[in-house]
Amino acid sequence: MLTQKTRYSMLALARLAREYGKGPLMINEIAKSELIPKRFLESILLDLKKNGYLGSKLGKNGGYYLIKNPNEISLLEIIRLFEGSIAFLACTSEKYYRPCEHCKDEETCEIRHTFSDIKSYIFNRLKDTSLSMLARI
C-alpha cells in the first residue's frame, strides 16, 4: 500500500505537469486544488526539489515548477523515491533483496515465483507510465 506522502506527491506532480512550461505554482494553489495539507505538501515539494524534479522561484510570482519534462518522469521513479522497493516480498526485490526465512528453496518456491511475476508486471507498468499520462495531458 502506498503511503499518503507518495499519493500526495503524485497529485502535486500531476498538477505541476498540467502547468508545465507556464511558470511556477504557489504551494497554496497546489494544496487547495489537490486537497493536500500545506505543511505536508511543503515537505514533499522540498524532497522533490532535492532529488532534481522541481525548481523553485521566490517572490510574488514564485512557487514550484517541474524542471524535467513530464514525459520523462515515470511513476516508478516517484514511487521508488518515497517508498523504496516496489516488491511485496524481500526475496523478490532487486535493490533490497533478503532471503526468505520461511523458504526451503527459492528456485522451487511457488510463492516467490508468483510474487516475482507480480513485481515484474508492476515494475514495467510503473516504468511505462509517465507523469504526462497520469496528468492526462
Side-chain angles (χ1 to χ4, degrees), residues 23-114:
L25 279 178
M26 294 176 61
I27 290 177
N28 289 339
E29 246 181 282
I30 300 167
K32 186 177 179 181
S33 70
E34 303 308 314
L35 305 175
I36 303 171
K38 185 181 171 195
R39 288 199 171 240
F40 202 6
L41 181 59
E42 288 171 346
S43 169
I44 292 167
L45 296 178
L46 283 174
D47 284 344
L48 290 165
K49 182 178 177 184
K50 286 177 193 172
N51 285 280
Y53 294 97
L54 302 180
S56 63
K57 181 180 173 189
L58 296 173
K60 183 181 176 185
N61 296 320
Y64 285 90
Y65 56 92
L66 283 174
I67 57 175
K68 287 185 170 184
N69 186 309
N71 291 318
E72 297 170 3
I73 301 171
S74 73
L75 287 187
L76 179 65
E77 294 174 57
I78 304 309
I79 290 173
R80 277 192 161 163
L81 174 65
F82 291 106
E83 301 289 336
S85 176
I86 61 160
F88 290 106
L89 300 175
C91 65
T92 63
S93 177
E94 293 172 19
K95 287 189 169 195
Y96 304 99
Y97 171 82
R98 282 191 331 265
C100 181
E101 60 193 58
H102 305 289
C103 188
K104 296 173 189 128
D105 178 18
E106 283 188 356
E107 294 301 315
T108 60
C109 178
E110 284 305 316
I111 294 171
R112 182 176 190 269
H113 288 292
T114 299

Side-chain angles (χ1 to χ4, degrees), residues 6 11-12 16 18 23 36 51 53 75 86 97 122 130 136:
T6 302
L11 288 169
L16 288 164
R18 287 189 292 275
I36 303 171
N51 285 280
Y53 294 97
L75 287 187
I86 61 160
Y97 171 82
I122 292 170
S130 70
R136 296 180 183 231

